Amino acid sequence: DGKLADELPSPKKVREARQAEWTLRVSGLAKLASARVPFAISSKNLKEGELFGNLRKAIKAGLSKEAALAGLTTNAAAILGL
C-alpha cells in the first residue's frame, strides 16, 4: 500500500523527460531538412514571442537559417499549394 507521492516521478525526472522530448522535437526539423523533406513551421497555438524563440532553439539544434526561413515562407506556401 504505497503512498501516491512514492508512485509519482520526481519533478526533476519530469523536467528531464520534457527536456529530452523537446530536444528530439527541435532536432527533428534539422533531420527533415538534411533529408530534403519539405516542412512548414507554424505559430499556431504558440504564445506571442514563442515562435522566434523556438526557431532559435531549432537553429541551435542544427537547423540552418535558410531552412528555417524556407519553413516559414516558400515551403509553407508550396505545401499549401500557393
Side-chain angles (χ1 to χ4, degrees), residues 4-62:
L4 182 60
D6 293 335
E7 297 172 14
L8 296 175
S10 71
K12 180 180 178 185
K13 289 199 182 281
V14 170
R15 239 185 346 269
E16 289 170 350
R18 287 183 179 169
Q19 180 62 42
E21 181 181 336
W22 173 248
T23 301
L24 182 61
R25 286 183 185 182
V26 170
S27 66
L29 290 177
K31 290 176 184 174
L32 288 172
S34 69
R36 298 180 186 259
V37 175
F39 62 89
I41 298 171
S42 170
S43 61
K44 185 175 181 175
N45 297 328
L46 295 180
K47 295 177 184 171
E48 186 175 333
E50 284 184 323
L51 176 64
F52 294 112
N54 290 347
L55 281 174
R56 281 190 283 278
K57 290 174 185 174
I59 290 167
K60 187 175 180 183

